[in-house]
């Protein structure tokens, strides 16, 4: 004990001779604890264990003194505070579930796609397309209001609203939705538009205004419009399914364009595709300048 809380040995010695030192021991132990801004795991554990044994054996006045001392200390142990207050301690948050093989492969596919250059992304989309046709009726067609809301938010100079609409429609995390919009290559946005059945003219207007790095290049807008015509619906939906499995939306509301659930898809990502995806070793990485996050002022993207 002396190595962690020096100065307590004399009190422990008195206790061995029948002197009730519990109130003094708890106060001194707490005073020594709050003198240090941080504690090692061993110090934290020992303080908690000793305090919990002493609290029930001391008088109310001592408990009040210790409670006031700990109230002014940031990060005081919740178990000790709860015992002093006479309430049950809050249960620790359960650890996150282990990552499944499907989630691991979905994240790998997402990483490969975003890290690849234009040719590499086309290669991945071709591989996803060659996995075969989708099951009939497995992919409900979203309503026209999805494309209308996306276009309205862009033309209204509200990129933050566009990100939120995309997040909700695809059923992905806010971080991933921002990454799709911020991507300077534009292919992720084309995939999203294909999966959401956004009409080609609407996609062109979105490309012109949502991302200045794309909209300032007419050649790039036309190239992405051509890619939209080339990408199959099956490839787009399979990539969106991987996005959703790798980074699902924080809410439990059903997305407008649902991909198959994990149970319905079954198997792993590569297993469901029935083929090995092309390797993306040492790709030419696309630039990742942040363009959308906190909403910018209207009129800034034209």
């Amino acid at each position: 004990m002396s190595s962690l809380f020096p100065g307590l040995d004399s009190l422990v010695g008195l206790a061995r001779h029948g002197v009730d030192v519990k109130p003094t021991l708890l106060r001194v132990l707490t005073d020594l604890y709050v003198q240090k801004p941080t504690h090692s795991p061993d110090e934290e554990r020992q303080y908690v264990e000793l305090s919990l044994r002493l609290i029930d054996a001391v008088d109310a006045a001592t408990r009040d003194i210790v409670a006031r001392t700990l109230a002014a200390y940031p990060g005081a142990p919740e178990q000790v505070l709860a015992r002093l207050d006479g309430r049950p301690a809050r249960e620790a948050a359960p650890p996150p579930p282990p990552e499944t093989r499907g989630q691991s492969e979905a994240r790998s596919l997402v990483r490969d796609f975003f890290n690849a250059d234009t040719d590499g992304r086309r290669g991945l989309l071709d591989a996803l397309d060659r996995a075969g046709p989708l099951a009939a009726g497995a992919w409900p067609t979203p309503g026209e209001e999805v494309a209308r809301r996306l276009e309205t938010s862009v033309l209204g100079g509200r990129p933050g609203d566009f990100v939120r609409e995309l997040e909700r429609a695809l059923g992905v995390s806010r971080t991933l939705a921002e990454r799709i919009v911020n991507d300077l290559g534009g292919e992720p946005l084309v995939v999203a538009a294909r999966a959401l059945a956004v009409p080609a003219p609407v996609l062109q207007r979105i490309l012109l205004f949502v991302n200045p790095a794309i909209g300032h290049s007419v050649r790039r807008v036309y190239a992405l419009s051509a890619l939209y015509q080339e990408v199959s619906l099956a490839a787009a939906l399979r990539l969106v399914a991987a996005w959703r499995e790798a980074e699902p939306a924080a809410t439990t509301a059903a997305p407008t364009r649902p991909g198959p659930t994990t149970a319905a898809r079954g198997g792993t990502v590569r297993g469901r595709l029935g083929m090995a995806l092309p390797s993306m070793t040492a790709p030419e990485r696309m630039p990742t300048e942040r363009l959308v996050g906190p909403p910018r002022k209207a009129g800034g993207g034209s």
Side-chain angles (χ1 to χ4, degrees):
M1 181 187 297
S2 59
S3 63
L4 296 179
F5 297 100
L8 297 182
D9 290 342
S10 59
L11 289 174
V12 174
L14 288 174
R16 293 195 183 105
H17 291 84
V19 179
D20 184 10
V21 297
K22 295 185 183 70
T24 304
L25 182 59
L26 180 59
R27 292 198 304 269
V28 173
L29 183 68
T30 301
D31 288 341
L32 292 173
Y33 177 81
V34 300
Q35 285 176 10
K36 295 180 62 176
T38 60
H39 298 276
S40 69
D42 282 341
E43 290 174 332
E44 189 81 10
R45 176 187 55 77
Q46 190 165 15
Y47 173 73
V48 170
E49 290 178 355
L50 290 173
S51 297
L52 293 179
R53 288 205 298 265
L54 292 169
I55 287 172
D56 294 334
V58 301
D59 56 278
T62 299
R63 290 197 296 270
D64 289 342
I65 293 171
V66 172
R68 287 197 297 271
T69 301
L70 290 177
Y73 183 77
E78 165 62 20
Q79 290 174 281
V80 176
L81 293 175
R83 183 70 63 84
L84 289 168
D85 291 342
R87 58 178 172 81
R90 291 192 296 267
E91 295 184 4
E99 183 177 77
T100 66
R101 184 180 176 187
Q103 290 171 329
S104 176
E105 292 192 348
R107 290 193 174 100
S108 177
L109 176 57
V110 172
R111 183 178 60 250
D112 288 348
F113 182 79
F114 277 99
N115 286 347
D117 61 11
T118 297
D119 291 337
R121 290 175 174 184
R122 286 177 177 268
L124 279 170
L125 291 170
D126 288 343
L128 292 171
D129 182 49
R130 292 195 300 272
L134 296 169
W139 310 94
T141 302
E144 295 180 358
E145 70 276 4
V146 175
R148 178 181 55 80
R149 287 197 299 266
L150 290 170
E151 182 182 19
T152 300
S153 61
V154 168
L155 298 183
R158 302 190 306 275
D161 288 348
F162 181 86
V163 170
R164 284 186 287 273
E165 290 292 347
L166 195 65
E167 171 192 4
R168 184 162 43 244
L170 294 176
V172 300
S173 68
R174 175 68 55 84
T175 300
L176 182 54
E178 288 186 354
R179 190 177 186 185
I180 292 168
V181 177
N182 290 337
D183 187 90
L184 301 187
E187 291 90 356
L189 197 54
V190 171
V191 170
R194 189 74 175 89
L196 295 172
V198 174
V202 174
L203 173 62
Q204 288 182 349
R205 290 191 288 273
I206 289 174
L207 291 172
L208 284 170
F209 291 100
V210 75
N211 189 331
I214 297 171
H216 291 169
S217 172
V218 175
R219 177 180 298 179
R220 188 61 188 154
V221 171
Y222 276 116
L224 291 172
S225 299
L227 177 64
Y228 177 86
Q229 302 298 335
E230 299 168 9
V231 173
S232 70
L233 179 60
L237 291 175
R238 285 191 174 99
L239 183 54
V240 169
W243 287 348
R244 291 180 59 206
E245 187 156 351
E247 295 191 37
T251 61
T252 57
T256 305
R257 179 71 182 204
T261 62
T262 302
R265 288 193 300 266
T268 63
V269 172
R270 282 165 173 78
R272 292 193 298 273
L273 298 180
M275 61 186 302
L277 293 175
S279 174
M280 292 286 107
T281 56
E284 178 186 344
R285 294 175 179 266
M286 300 297 295
T288 56
E289 177 185 348
R290 182 175 176 80
L291 297 170
V292 171
R296 63 174 183 260
K297 295 181 179 180
S302 57

